[in-house]
Amino acid sequence: MPEVLTLGETMVSLRTRAAMRLGGEAHLSIAGSESNVAIGLSRLGHQAAWLGAVGNDEPGRLIHRTLRAEGVDTSYVRFSDTDFTGFIAFDQPAHDITRVSYHRRGSAGSTLTPDECVEAITSAAPKLLHLTGITPALSDTARAATLAAAEAATGVQVSLDVNYRARLWSRAEASACLKQLLPHVHTVFASDDELDLLTDATDPVAALLESGIKEVVVTAGGKGAWSHSPAGTLHQPALPVTVVDSIGAGDAFVSGYLSATLDNLTPDQRLIRATTSGAFCVGAYGDWESLPTREDLTLITHTHGTALR
């Protein structure tokens, strides 16, 4: 049985290392915040399952095959004969400046239903349910499905990564939906500029903790991350690495943090594993390809340029 269940949309991705309009070579892969987290957890030795819908097409098969190859439980994947698999394109017009184009409106991933989410949670009985603010932005049914999943997770630790996407919905829409999820959430992941989506309070972290959230983890890229809980606040600086591609770093951070949570590590150890996982991700291209295994975690402590012989 999976330790972690996550749900959302995974798309086929096409990535170029220059402006896409110039043509040239492109890399075909998959991308999706929730499946990135599932892959990260699987590589760190955990049983992770991904729930989502893909088209009964070659892009959908690529997603299914890739997740299976990475050890992610795909028992809860639905193939749709009537809807297509979503597509996302990344290009880089300048170093570490990434443009994103979505082709996902009406995709199979947006047809997620409350019934299949509740059934999966009941069947899987995971220790942890991981949600993001992306899934409820996809459609009315996906929004209802996300809320139904949170409500069904009785006795299950629920984490929420705000992951606001301005192209999918307005801040007002996001705020109204995410506030509905909060009563069911144990751990919140957010950047500084996302906290106001969760509360109108002048001190959002304090307000969230007073409302019953057990952990508020605030990420700040190169400045590191902060963990806030009733026991106090901790800060972990980002590791000094050369940034090649920052896409997927937040998902890597979350997978590291949740892995350490499942291992019952202390809050400072959770932050260390999270920032280490994030550092691996920014050091190479791709959403998930450079996510570390448990054995990899110590490699980044070696001096830059070290050859392990």
Side-chain angles (χ1 to χ4, degrees), residues 2 27 35 59 87 95 100 105 111 116 121 129 131 164 176 202 211 225 240 246-247 256 276 303:
H27 176 67
S35 56
F87 167 80
H95 176 68
V100 180
R105 189 183 300 276
T111 67
E116 61 190 330
I121 291 168
L129 171 68
L131 305 173
Y164 176 65
T202 54
S211 73
S246 58
I247 296 294
T276 301
T303 303

Side-chain angles (χ1 to χ4, degrees), residues 89-107:
F90 302 95
D91 72 342
Q92 284 190 297
H95 176 68
D96 198 34
I97 301 296
T98 303
R99 287 186 298 207
V100 180
S101 301
Y102 294 118
H103 301 271
R104 71 196 307 182
R105 189 183 300 276
S107 67

Side-chain angles (χ1 to χ4, degrees), residues 10-13 28-31 50 52-70 72 74-87 108-109 288:
T10 299
M11 297 168 286
V12 164
S13 70
L28 183 66
S29 186
I30 71 170
W50 177 76
V54 296
N56 191 8
D57 48 31
E58 284 300 293
R61 297 293 173 184
L62 172 62
I63 290 168
H64 186 249
R65 180 179 182 276
T66 302
L67 293 178
R68 282 173 56 89
E70 288 295 328
V72 175
T74 57
S75 302
Y76 308 101
V77 174
R78 169 167 56 85
F79 287 93
S80 172
D81 290 323
T82 57
D83 305 292
F84 63 93
T85 301
F87 167 80
W288 55 270

Side-chain angles (χ1 to χ4, degrees), residues 41-302:
L41 284 165
S42 178
R43 287 193 178 182
L44 290 170
H46 301 281
Q47 302 275 338
W50 177 76
L51 164 64
V54 296
N56 191 8
D57 48 31
E58 284 300 293
R61 297 293 173 184
L62 172 62
I63 290 168
H64 186 249
R65 180 179 182 276
T66 302
L67 293 178
R68 282 173 56 89
E70 288 295 328
V72 175
D73 184 346
T74 57
S75 302
Y76 308 101
V77 174
R78 169 167 56 85
F79 287 93
S80 172
D81 290 323
T82 57
D83 305 292
F84 63 93
T85 301
F87 167 80
I88 187 170
F90 302 95
D91 72 342
Q92 284 190 297
H95 176 68
D96 198 34
I97 301 296
T98 303
R99 287 186 298 207
V100 180
S101 301
Y102 294 118
H103 301 271
R104 71 196 307 182
R105 189 183 300 276
S107 67
S110 68
T111 67
L112 201 63
T113 67
D115 285 347
E116 61 190 330
C117 289
V118 172
E119 182 179 348
I121 291 168
T122 303
S123 171
K127 295 179 181 177
L128 194 152
L129 171 68
H130 179 62
L131 305 173
T132 78
I134 299 173
T135 308
L138 299 177
S139 67
D140 290 342
T141 56
R143 191 171 309 179
T146 306
L147 181 58
E151 291 173 341
T154 305
V156 177
Q157 185 170 321
V158 179
S159 60
L160 171 67
D161 186 356
V162 173
N163 241 328
Y164 176 65
R165 295 290 187 268
R167 292 189 183 181
L168 297 180
W169 56 357
S170 69
R171 295 186 74 86
E173 289 175 308
S175 181
C177 176
L178 296 175
K179 286 175 180 176
Q180 287 183 288
L181 294 173
L182 287 181
H184 311 284
V185 172
H186 178 282
T187 302
V188 164
F189 297 95
S191 57
D192 265 329
D193 62 351
E194 292 174 329
L195 289 171
D196 67 319
L197 296 171
L198 304 175
T199 174
D200 299 324
T202 54
D203 186 344
V205 170
L208 289 169
L209 293 176
E210 289 171 7
S211 73
I213 303 294
K214 302 303 182 186
E215 292 181 297
V216 179
V217 183
V218 182
T219 56
K223 296 179 182 179
W226 286 260
S227 172
H228 306 274
S229 73
T233 296
L234 296 169
H235 174 247
Q236 177 63 36
L239 294 176
V241 294
T242 300
V243 175
V244 174
D245 178 13
S246 58
I247 296 294
D251 301 328
F253 178 95
V254 169
S255 67
Y257 199 92
L258 295 182
S259 166
T261 299
L262 290 166
D263 286 345
N264 296 313
L265 300 186
T266 60
D268 60 323
Q269 292 171 323
R270 295 199 287 268
L271 280 175
I272 290 171
R273 184 174 293 181
T275 53
T276 301
S277 297
F280 268 93
C281 191
V282 301
Y285 289 99
D287 275 38
W288 55 270
E289 285 84 347
S290 57
L291 288 168
T293 64
R294 193 168 290 249
E295 292 73 25
D296 291 335
L297 289 173
T298 60
L299 294 178
I300 211 162
T301 62
H302 289 283

